[in-house]
């Protein structure tokens, strides 16, 4: 802290007694003599006014109490990147050529050095650093040109969150000197991003993970900068008030994880703009306020072409209250894991386990729900309970266990798109009657053996009492399992879609 002001003081990020702010004004504020800095605090409760004093507007703030006037000598303008590394990882780095032993602290590890050799050993140790955290170290700039590249040529993972970086250009100056950089966390730096697409420098040519939470970036700025991230796999954009305004074209095509959590402007229409990112596997939409989603390209029971690789979806802390949201998720081709906590639909405490069972039944390929694995036994039980819960409604809507009479109305099918699919399609074969053709029928797995026999009796014109049933599964080649208990269901015998029902008399 000093009375000397940087030439580019306007727009600089500063720290005052642990609080961060942005400088919007530098000059005289009558009647008090001397230079003042007008700052807007990140925490508006820290300020006193909106940038005005005695009727004169010196700068503007987003909050009526977000501004203050501060003397320059009270302000910390920060340090350069390399100084921060030395402050954090090296507590003593001055050589004393006296032949005495010195202790240099690198991270948490003390390194013993002797005399002039201390600098050589220090430089050697710094060059080996691969993973560093400079969180809250007041880093404001890259520093001397080439100094980072010379001292830290092997850095791969850097946490620069909660610092005083004020522009994306400064980030580029740092990254351009780190040829192996793979992970960069810039969260909680209020950055100015370029208004035009920056020239592609190769600064981020190896970057795989970029964290820009609470940086103030917009979607348009993401797309402008994205050409410089050719191999990016994870992009974290939480809490930026992002509104997805256009479809990524030829950018973000390598992204596997996209975090849009805590961006309250994101809605289902905006999601359609990112629905064709080819490699997107994980999407975080928690705390966005989303309540509905519709994949209009896919009819009931069909799969959507949108989000073709999406396997993990997080929609915690939203306004989801209708089952139609869950029904739509079954249209996703690759979805395996869903987190859907703290939504109106899932917060009915007395029905928590029932709701879990219904979600499992409604999304066919789901393997994990709310971080709990779905075992095959749980899925079978969930689907059976779901069928039982809505069996009467299905019948009233026109459903029937005889496939030829099964015609549930549109309202039921829309509300329960998987109900019909839970009925297995079985091949029915009569191995002792060679002239009898193989029949295919869709049978609910809750159907009892007795009712199956009744259906077959009508089809084959054979008395029920003479029919003997068994089945063969492609999962168990060479085996034949008898359905000997008329009162048990097909599910009890683990009859599955595609199995062959064998009928003898």
């Amino acid at each position: 802290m000093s009375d000397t002001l940087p030439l580019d003081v306007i727009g600089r990020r500063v720290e005052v007694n642990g609080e961060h702010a942005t400088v919007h004004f530098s000059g005289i504020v009558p009647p008090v003599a001397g230079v003042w800095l007008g700052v807007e605090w990140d925490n508006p409760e820290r300020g006193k006014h909106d940038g005005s004093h005695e009727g004169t507007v010196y700068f503007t703030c987003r909050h009526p109490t977000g501004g203050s006037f501060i003397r320059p000598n009270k302000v910390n303008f920060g340090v350069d990147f390399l100084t921060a590394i030395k402050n954090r990882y090296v507590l003593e780095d001055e050589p004393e050529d006296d032949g005495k032993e010195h202790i240099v602290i690198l991270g948490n590890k003390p390194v013993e050095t002797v005399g002039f050799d201390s600098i050589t050993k220090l430089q050697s140790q710094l060059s080996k650093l691969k993973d560093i955290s400079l969180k809250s170290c007041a880093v404001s700039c890259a520093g001397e040109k080439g100094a980072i590249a010379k001292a830290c040529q092997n850095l791969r993972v850097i946490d620069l969150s909660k610092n005083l970086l004020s522009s994306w250009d400064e980030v580029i100056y740092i990254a351009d000197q780190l040829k192996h950089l793979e992970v960069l966390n810039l969260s909680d730096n209020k950055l100015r991003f370029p208004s035009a697409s920056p020239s592609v420098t190769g600064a981020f040519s190896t970057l795989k993970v970029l964290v820009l939470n609470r940086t103030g970036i917009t979607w348009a700025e993401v797309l402008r900068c994205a050409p410089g991230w050719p191999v990016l796999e994870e992009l974290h954009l939480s809490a930026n008030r992002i509104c997805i305004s256009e479809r990524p074209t030829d950018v973000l095509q390598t992204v596997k994880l996209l975090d849009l959590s805590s961006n309250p402007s994101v809605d289902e229409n905006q999601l359609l703009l990112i629905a064709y990112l080819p490699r997107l596997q994980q999407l975080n939409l928690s705390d966005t306020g989303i309540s509905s989603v519709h994949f209009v390209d896919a009819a009931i029971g069909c799969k959507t072409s949108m989000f073709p690789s999406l396997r993990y979806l997080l929609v915690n802390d939203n306004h989801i209250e209708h089952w139609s949201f869950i029904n739509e998720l079954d249209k996703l081709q690759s979805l395996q894991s869903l987190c859907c906590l703290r939504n109106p639909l899932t917060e009915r405490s007395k029905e928590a386990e029932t709701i879990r069972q219904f979600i499992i039944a409604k999304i066919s390929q789901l393997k994990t729900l709310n971080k709990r694995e779905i075992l095959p036994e749980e899925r079978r039980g969930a689907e059976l309970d779901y069928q039982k819960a809505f069996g009467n409604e299905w019948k009233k809507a026109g459903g029937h266990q005889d496939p030829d009479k099964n015609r549930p109305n549109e309202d039921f099918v829309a509300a329960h798109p998987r109900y019909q699919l839970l009925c297995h399609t079985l091949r029915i074969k009569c191995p002792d009657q060679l002239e009898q053709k193989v029949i295919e029928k869709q049978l609910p797995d809750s159907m009892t053996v007795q009712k199956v026999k009744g259906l077959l009796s009508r089809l084959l014109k054979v008395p029920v009492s003479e029919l003997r049933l068994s089945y063969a599964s492609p999962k168990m080649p060479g085996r034949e399992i008898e359905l000997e208990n008329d009162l048990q269901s097909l599910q009890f015998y683990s009859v599955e879609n595609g199995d062959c029902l064998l009928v003898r008399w």
Side-chain angles (χ1 to χ4, degrees), residues 255-275:
V255 168
K256 297 179 180 179
L257 181 154
L258 180 59
D259 180 1
L260 293 170
S261 62
S262 301
N263 285 292
S265 297
V266 173
D267 60 28
E268 65 170 302
N269 293 322
Q270 294 175 39
L271 293 183
L272 302 183
L273 295 173
I274 59 169

Side-chain angles (χ1 to χ4, degrees), residues 53-347:
H53 180 66
E54 295 186 354
T56 301
V57 177
Y58 293 91
F59 63 98
T60 58
C61 294
R62 288 168 293 182
H63 193 278
T65 62
S68 293
F69 290 107
I70 304 287
R71 290 295 193 186
N73 63 356
K74 301 292 184 181
V75 170
N76 178 10
F77 285 97
V79 299
D80 65 75
F81 182 87
L82 200 53
T83 298
I85 288 183
K86 291 179 180 179
N87 290 343
R88 169 63 63 92
Y89 288 89
V90 182
L91 300 184
E92 181 182 336
D93 64 351
E94 292 297 326
E96 294 183 23
D97 194 9
D98 55 6
K100 295 181 180 179
E101 185 177 274
H102 301 279
I103 302 295
V104 174
I105 306 298
L106 189 70
N108 295 319
K109 182 180 179 182
V111 179
E112 293 184 0
T113 65
V114 178
F116 187 75
D117 288 343
S118 63
I119 280 293
T120 303
K121 292 185 179 181
L122 170 62
Q123 291 174 339
S124 174
Q125 292 294 331
L126 285 177
S127 70
K128 293 178 182 178
L129 284 174
K130 294 183 179 180
D131 184 341
I132 64 169
S133 173
L134 297 179
K135 182 177 181 179
S136 301
C137 285
V139 177
S140 62
C141 62
E144 182 184 345
K145 185 176 181 180
I148 298 173
K150 184 178 179 180
C152 305
Q153 54 268 63
N154 288 309
L155 281 181
R156 284 167 167 75
V157 179
I158 303 176
D159 183 354
L160 275 171
S161 59
K162 281 199 169 183
N163 277 286
L164 301 179
L165 294 165
S166 57
S167 76
W168 184 248
D169 287 340
E170 205 63 44
V171 175
I172 292 177
Y173 296 150
I174 294 172
D176 202 30
Q177 301 181 60
L178 300 168
K179 301 306 179 184
H180 304 291
L181 184 61
E182 295 181 2
V183 179
L184 179 59
N185 186 352
L186 295 166
S187 297
D188 298 294
N189 286 279
K190 304 297 182 184
L191 297 170
R192 294 192 310 274
F193 291 88
S195 57
S197 296
S199 58
V200 179
T201 63
F204 305 103
S205 60
T206 59
L207 190 66
K208 294 181 180 179
V209 179
L210 179 58
V211 187
L212 294 170
N213 300 335
R214 297 173 297 281
T215 57
I217 194 169
T218 67
W219 185 250
E221 290 166 343
V222 169
L223 298 189
R224 279 200 291 271
C225 295
W229 313 328
V231 297
L232 193 68
E233 295 181 358
E234 293 188 18
L235 180 57
H236 299 260
L237 300 171
S238 180
N240 283 301
R241 297 191 173 277
I242 276 178
C243 178
I244 302 173
S245 52
E246 57 182 300
R247 184 172 175 174
T249 304
D250 300 325
V251 294
L252 305 182
Q253 302 299 296
T254 59
V255 168
K256 297 179 180 179
L257 181 154
L258 180 59
D259 180 1
L260 293 170
S261 62
S262 301
N263 285 292
S265 297
V266 173
D267 60 28
E268 65 170 302
N269 293 322
Q270 294 175 39
L271 293 183
L272 302 183
L273 295 173
I274 59 169
Y276 293 98
L277 291 174
R279 300 186 185 179
L280 185 61
Q281 296 180 6
Q282 184 166 337
L283 180 60
N284 189 347
L285 297 174
S286 295
D287 190 31
T288 59
I290 197 166
S291 61
S292 61
V293 65
H294 294 92
F295 301 116
V296 294
D297 65 324
I300 293 173
C302 299
K303 297 298 182 182
T304 177
S305 60
M306 301 181 193
F307 297 103
S309 302
L310 189 63
R311 299 175 64 188
Y312 309 95
L313 179 62
L314 291 85
V315 289
N316 300 326
D317 302 294
N318 281 305
H319 300 153
I320 301 164
E321 57 182 329
H322 299 299
W323 284 107
S324 57
F325 186 97
I326 304 299
N327 292 340
E328 286 294 304
L329 298 186
D330 187 53
K331 294 181 179 180
L332 294 168
Q333 300 176 33
S334 306
L335 186 65
Q336 295 185 4
S337 177
L338 174 66
C339 272
C340 189
L341 298 168
R342 297 178 296 278
N343 280 280
L345 180 66
T346 59
E347 285 302 286

Side-chain angles (χ1 to χ4, degrees), residues 335-338 356 363-369 372-375 379:
L335 186 65
Q336 295 185 4
S337 177
L338 174 66
R356 175 179 171 85
I363 306 178
S364 59
Q365 69 274 30
L366 209 59
K367 292 188 168 55
T368 304
L369 176 58
R372 276 173 55 192
E373 183 182 2
I374 302 168
L375 298 174
R379 172 161 291 283

